[in-house]
Amino acid sequence: MNTQDRFDPTLIDFSPEVSAARAEGRPLVALESTIISHGMPYPQNVQTAREVEAIVREHGAVPATIAVLDGKIRVGLGDEQLELLGKSPEAMKLSRRDLPFALATGRIGATTVAATMICARLAGIEVFVTGGIGGVHRGAETSFDISADLQELARTPVAVVCAGAKSILDLALTLEYLETHGVPVLSVGQENFAAFYTRDSGLKADFRIDAPAEQARFLRAKWALGLGGGAVISNPVPVEHEMPKALIDGFIEQALGEAAAQGISGKAVTPYLLARIKDLSGGASLATNIALVKHNAKVGAALAKALKGF
């Protein structure tokens, strides 16, 4: 018996829009909520969430933003719930280990990549759109700081559309980790893995597959073979929105040094770095972050539609 066989469906609450889409067999796209509560400042976080949902709809799919509220996994959020996540300082950052606590205690919880993948799988959603995945942190050879996102990609069959991994990470080690665990990395529009703020990490992805139908065919073949786990769909930020590599690398190095000096560690590192890089860049990094998430929403909606044909 696997975990899903033991799952209590009463723990999930679907919004009316998502419920209707499920009943009608329409394509669904999962969206995370940490980007709202921990990834961007208010009000840009809530505004971006609404705009990303609108883009998914415009491209023929139904958005399903996921969070934990009042002891339930909420799949599809209303305006008041988005506002709550965007403003509440009490929103927990939920990964796999944290989901049971938030559900059991009724805490407000925003789902990371890992937790969103789990909830999407339980809700029967195969495609998830985010900004960038977590990965192996710089200095992990001594800190052992590796995002739970990578293990989730190895075990949970959901395709994750992203602008690569966040460039605050060790991207080469992140790709090595994914390779070790058999997680395929597909690149869209270029051969190399994307680097979040910039298009090209200088590191090759496993496969370049541009067309949504071919991406869907790949995923169906993977899952038909009984190979567990998901896949990374690396979609680079549009060229007009990318930041110069030397500039962003300098901001990252400064922010990393400041985080280390302040003793910031664990799950607090990424929110700190994103906020500090935004300040150092005069808001340019936030604009890039917003642009890449919107671009990913288009690719994710197209993939969700294509998967319905296989």
Side-chain angles (χ1 to χ4, degrees):
M1 179 180 290
N2 62 36
T3 302
Q4 197 166 14
D5 292 330
R6 298 193 298 269
F7 176 67
D8 179 358
T10 64
L11 290 175
I12 285 191
D13 180 73
F14 297 101
S15 70
E17 181 184 25
V18 172
S19 291
R22 283 164 51 84
E24 297 163 9
R26 296 167 61 196
L28 284 156
V29 172
L31 301 168
E32 66 161 290
S33 47
T34 51
I35 199 169
I36 304 170
S37 62
H38 297 86
M40 295 181 187
Y42 184 84
Q44 291 99 329
N45 51 6
V46 176
Q47 179 182 343
T48 300
R50 290 182 176 132
E51 290 173 351
V52 169
E53 289 189 343
I55 289 168
V56 171
R57 294 186 187 101
E58 289 166 11
H59 287 79
V62 174
T65 303
I66 294 174
V68 172
L69 298 166
D70 302 318
K72 298 272 191 178
I73 296 168
R74 306 289 175 172
V75 181
L77 303 180
D79 283 343
E80 289 184 5
Q81 293 167 322
L82 288 175
E83 285 284 337
L84 178 62
L85 283 163
K87 291 180 176 178
S88 175
E90 298 178 357
M92 292 183 65
K93 184 180 179 184
L94 305 182
S95 191
R96 167 176 278 265
R97 70 176 182 185
D98 312 301
L99 274 172
F101 179 82
L103 287 168
T105 60
R107 294 282 297 276
I108 299 172
T111 53
T112 60
V113 168
T116 306
M117 288 183 73
I118 293 167
C119 297
R121 172 61 171 164
L122 294 171
I125 301 173
E126 297 180 307
V127 177
F128 161 38
V129 163
T130 186
I133 60 170
V136 179
H137 282 259
R138 302 184 191 196
E141 62 274 14
T142 55
S143 70
F144 289 88
D145 192 350
I146 300 173
S147 172
D149 295 353
L150 301 186
Q151 275 290 340
E152 211 58 55
L153 279 158
R155 61 165 43 122
T156 301
V158 172
V160 179
V161 180
C162 59
K166 297 179 180 71
S167 44
I168 57 177
L169 305 167
D170 189 318
L171 299 187
L173 288 184
T174 296
L175 288 174
E176 287 287 351
Y177 192 101
L178 290 170
E179 179 186 11
T180 298
H181 291 275
V183 178
V185 178
L186 314 184
S187 185
V188 181
Q190 62 183 33
E191 301 293 329
N192 284 358
F193 188 56
F196 199 67
Y197 297 115
T198 56
R199 292 175 57 82
D200 190 349
S201 67
L203 303 164
K204 281 189 70 69
D206 298 321
F207 312 104
R208 175 178 174 176
I209 307 181
D210 295 346
E214 295 307 309
Q215 296 163 8
R217 192 185 304 276
F218 176 96
L219 291 167
R220 287 285 179 247
K222 169 181 165 60
W223 293 329
L225 287 168
L227 298 175
V232 175
I233 314 296
S234 169
N235 180 45
V237 61
V239 64
E240 64 272 22
H241 294 293
E242 77 170 328
M243 297 187 68
K245 185 176 186 304
L247 182 66
I248 193 64
D249 284 351
F251 294 149
I252 290 170
E253 289 298 331
Q254 181 175 341
L256 284 167
E258 291 172 356
Q262 294 176 48
I264 296 170
S265 62
K267 64 169 64 178
V269 171
T270 297
Y272 172 84
L273 293 176
L274 293 176
R276 185 66 182 123
I277 291 166
K278 178 186 77 72
D279 292 341
L280 291 170
S281 67
S285 66
L286 177 60
T288 295
N289 194 348
I290 291 170
L292 64 86
V293 174
K294 292 180 179 179
H295 188 44
N296 292 343
K298 298 175 185 178
V299 171
L303 175 56
K305 287 174 62 180
L307 280 165
K308 286 294 182 182
F310 288 87

